[in-house]
Amino acid sequence: MQFKDKWQNSISLIQQVYQADTRPWIIGYSGGKDSTAVVQLIFEALSMLPKQNLNKDIYVISSNTLIETPLILAHINDSINQINVYSKKNRLPITATIVTPKLENSFWATLIGKGYPSPRQKFRWCTDRLKIEPSNRFIKETVSRHGEVIVILGVRKSESASRAQTLANHKIGNKLLRKHSTLPNAYVLAPIEDFTVDDVWTYLLKTPSPWGGDNHSLLSLYKDSSGECPLVIDKDTPSCGNSRFGCWVCTVVKEDKALIGFIENGHEELIPLLQFRNWLTDIRNNPNYREKRRQNGSVYYIGSGDDRRIGLGPFTLEARKEILKNLLSAQRDYGSTLISEEELKLISQIWIEWGDWERSVPDIYDKILGQALDWPDSERPLYSKEEIKLLDSLCKKHDVPLEIVHKLLRIQENHYGFKYRYGIYKDIHKALSEDWLHIEEENEVYADDY
């Protein structure tokens, strides 16, 4: 099939499905070539329809993981603003918005706060929290208002055999829509599924962007790139760590070709980001940086007998402090914000539960950046350094882990002021029963189990 025929078929498909019912559309927009082509085609198709036929809403959503490659994030933000301005001016029922992860699910709150080891192929905790959940939350909210929605994706059969199989698996007979793989009452339309890469670029370079985007600049972003990161709404989507449209701190891939490519093309300001990313990858499996237990205090053994090993747990509190110091140093050298004040405050709260006696986050921030943040009284240390030092020496004298003493004091603090404190004994029993208090450290071998 010639490109012209594919283009005309896509335009007709979009117009047919749009006018068939009142279900709103949600378009996944990553700023890359495929999603840009889809949004342009929809603008083009709708502009050919009578205004009275434009009677249902279209939402263009872009997922910002909050760790997007800075140059791409600027490109996406500009595009979102231009789409909204153009749609309003031309009275099109299209609204573009950016979805973000919840604060408690952000990359830094999870990695630096809770200590999750940096993601790898077999433990991609980032995909659910940063990509799938924000997009699906928007889709679910739209479904709750309208009953059903149609999700428009820029997926193509020629991307890979697995992508073609996924599209085939969710086909509903001879119908134009497919079932969404996980979300009920959501259906998927793929207007460019028959396009090749050459078709996409032919369309983009021959068809000016209706909202004023520069598709030739978009092409330059793809130079030496291994692709783009589409809107992720299920786990069938592979990692896009090498893509220029992925996350700058991605540790799923061995080498970040995207950042390297940008730096080689003159963006030397990104060097601190690449250095931090590489260091974070290097320390991931170092047992000195990892707890010997899970977050709930349990210890998981791998194997038995002479082959018995303890699976490594989260980053230690000291490791997290070092990660935050290095991240803030990278932020200082880069010259723009990499971690938000809200994330820093949440990290501080999480660290308190892990035994951060000194409320270290404000002090680290001040020492690295030379600035003081407006921290609430609850972030101030409960005990002076002299008191902590004395307590530490007493714990060592009586062979009691300082951490468990901190945990017991936190339990007391959490129950303070209540007339009836029925739950305090249960919490104390739980704290004293954690596995890590009862393992033998001698001759243990540790192995990464994430």
Side-chain angles (χ1 to χ4, degrees):
M1 187 185 298
Q2 298 296 316
F3 164 72
K4 185 176 181 181
D5 295 324
K6 294 179 184 178
W7 167 74
Q8 290 177 339
N9 287 344
S10 293
I11 293 292
S12 298
L13 173 66
I14 290 168
Q15 292 176 334
Q16 179 183 347
V17 176
Y18 181 83
Q19 297 178 99
D21 53 50
T22 60
R23 288 177 291 185
W25 283 11
I26 297 176
I27 309 173
Y29 176 70
S30 71
K33 66 183 187 309
D34 294 331
S35 61
T36 299
V38 167
V39 178
Q40 279 199 197
L41 281 165
I42 290 174
F43 268 85
E44 189 175 359
L46 265 59
S47 67
M48 300 176 185
L49 296 176
K51 287 293 183 182
Q52 61 267 26
N53 288 17
L54 305 180
N55 54 10
K56 67 180 182 182
D57 294 329
I58 295 178
Y59 303 97
V60 178
I61 65 170
S62 182
S63 179
N64 177 7
T65 61
L66 305 181
I67 48 171
E68 299 293 321
T69 302
L71 299 177
I72 299 303
L73 181 59
H75 163 72
I76 292 173
N77 287 338
D78 288 343
S79 298
I80 293 294
N81 290 333
Q82 290 173 326
I83 288 171
N84 282 328
V85 169
Y86 181 86
S87 298
K88 184 176 181 180
K89 181 179 179 180
N90 292 275
R91 294 183 297 150
L92 295 173
I94 300 175
T95 304
T97 188
I98 293 177
V99 296
T100 57
K102 294 180 179 178
L103 180 62
E104 62 269 23
N105 288 337
S106 77
F107 187 82
W108 302 125
T110 306
L111 185 136
I112 299 178
K114 300 171 187 175
Y116 275 50
S118 43
R120 67 173 185 173
Q121 192 63 45
K122 293 183 179 180
F123 187 51
R124 287 169 56 191
W125 54 261
C126 52
T127 302
D128 281 329
R129 290 169 172 79
L130 308 185
K131 295 178 178 292
I132 296 177
E133 193 279 331
S135 300
N136 284 359
R137 183 176 1 119
F138 186 95
I139 295 172
K140 289 176 181 177
E141 289 172 354
T142 308
V143 168
S144 69
R145 295 196 305 270
H146 299 277
E148 292 183 343
V149 299
I150 297 174
V151 180
I152 318 295
L153 298 178
V155 293
R156 296 178 291 104
K157 293 176 183 176
S158 63
E159 287 180 71
S160 65
S162 61
R163 176 60 72 187
Q165 186 61 48
T166 299
L167 288 170
N169 288 343
H170 295 97
K171 189 80 172 176
I172 311 174
N174 295 321
K175 295 185 178 180
L176 301 175
L177 302 178
R178 293 174 171 84
K179 291 181 180 179
H180 189 282
S181 59
T182 57
L183 295 177
N185 298 327
Y187 298 86
V188 174
L189 179 67
I192 63 168
E193 63 175 294
D194 293 322
F195 278 40
T196 64
V197 172
D198 289 342
D199 292 332
V200 172
W201 283 120
T202 297
Y203 174 69
L204 290 176
L205 297 179
K206 286 188 174 182
T207 310
S209 168
W211 57 84
D214 187 346
N215 290 336
H216 287 83
S217 294
L218 178 62
L219 176 61
S220 70
L221 289 176
Y222 271 84
K223 185 179 180 182
D224 299 325
S225 175
S226 56
E228 66 183 87
C229 187
L231 182 80
V232 180
I233 59 175
D234 56 46
K235 294 185 178 180
D236 293 331
T237 305
S239 168
C240 45
N242 273 329
S243 166
R244 298 196 170 209
F245 291 78
C247 303
W248 70 264
V249 75
C250 182
T251 55
V252 174
V253 292
K254 184 176 181 180
E255 182 182 46
D256 194 323
K257 297 178 182 178
L259 275 179
I260 293 173
F262 277 129
I263 292 169
E264 289 178 346
N265 287 333
H267 293 281
E268 295 183 355
E269 73 276 10
L270 299 176
I271 290 177
L273 277 63
L274 179 62
Q275 291 174 334
F276 174 84
R277 179 262 171 204
N278 290 342
W279 172 80
L280 186 62
T281 302
D282 291 341
I283 69 168
R284 187 193 191 282
N285 295 333
N286 187 334
N288 295 325
Y289 283 84
R290 301 279 290 278
E291 296 281 358
K292 311 308 185 288
R293 62 183 186 274
R294 301 302 188 200
Q295 289 192 347
N296 61 4
S298 65
V299 176
Y300 178 70
Y301 289 95
I302 303 173
S304 60
D306 293 339
D307 294 328
R308 188 176 77 159
R309 298 171 294 166
I310 294 178
L312 294 177
F315 282 123
T316 65
L317 184 56
E318 289 306 311
R320 292 177 234 176
K321 292 180 182 180
E322 186 176 349
I323 294 171
L324 179 58
K325 290 175 183 177
N326 285 345
L327 175 62
L328 290 174
S329 296
Q331 175 172 302
R332 178 197 60 210
D333 297 341
Y334 173 59
S336 187
T337 300
L338 299 177
I339 180 171
S340 69
E341 181 176 334
E342 290 74 21
E343 288 174 297
L344 288 166
K345 290 182 178 180
L346 177 58
I347 288 169
S348 183
Q349 294 172 12
I350 296 171
W351 282 9
I352 291 171
E353 298 300 325
W354 277 83
D356 184 24
W357 296 82
E358 300 178 352
R359 308 296 202 266
S360 303
V361 174
D363 187 51
I364 291 173
Y365 188 90
D366 186 26
K367 285 183 178 179
I368 300 297
L369 298 182
Q371 301 173 10
L373 292 174
D374 183 21
W375 293 88
D377 291 340
S378 60
E379 299 299 324
R380 296 176 182 174
L382 291 175
Y383 307 99
S384 66
K385 292 184 178 180
E386 291 74 19
E387 290 172 326
I388 296 171
K389 186 176 180 180
L390 175 60
L391 189 56
D392 185 32
S393 65
L394 289 172
C395 287
K396 290 177 179 177
K397 179 179 179 180
H398 296 281
D399 195 25
V400 175
L402 180 63
E403 183 176 340
I404 195 62
V405 174
H406 174 271
K407 187 165 290 188
L408 293 173
L409 288 172
R410 284 290 297 166
I411 291 172
Q412 161 63 21
E413 180 186 351
N414 291 337
H415 287 271
Y416 180 78
F418 289 93
K419 185 176 181 180
Y420 302 104
R421 299 191 291 173
Y422 298 115
I424 192 170
Y425 298 108
K426 180 179 178 181
D427 291 344
I428 291 174
H429 176 75
K430 181 180 178 182
L432 295 177
S433 300
E434 291 184 355
D435 292 349
W436 68 276
L437 289 169
H438 309 289
I439 64 171
E440 295 293 335
E441 288 287 345
E442 293 185 12
N443 301 320
E444 291 287 5
V445 179
Y446 302 103
D448 181 30
D449 189 43
Y450 276 97

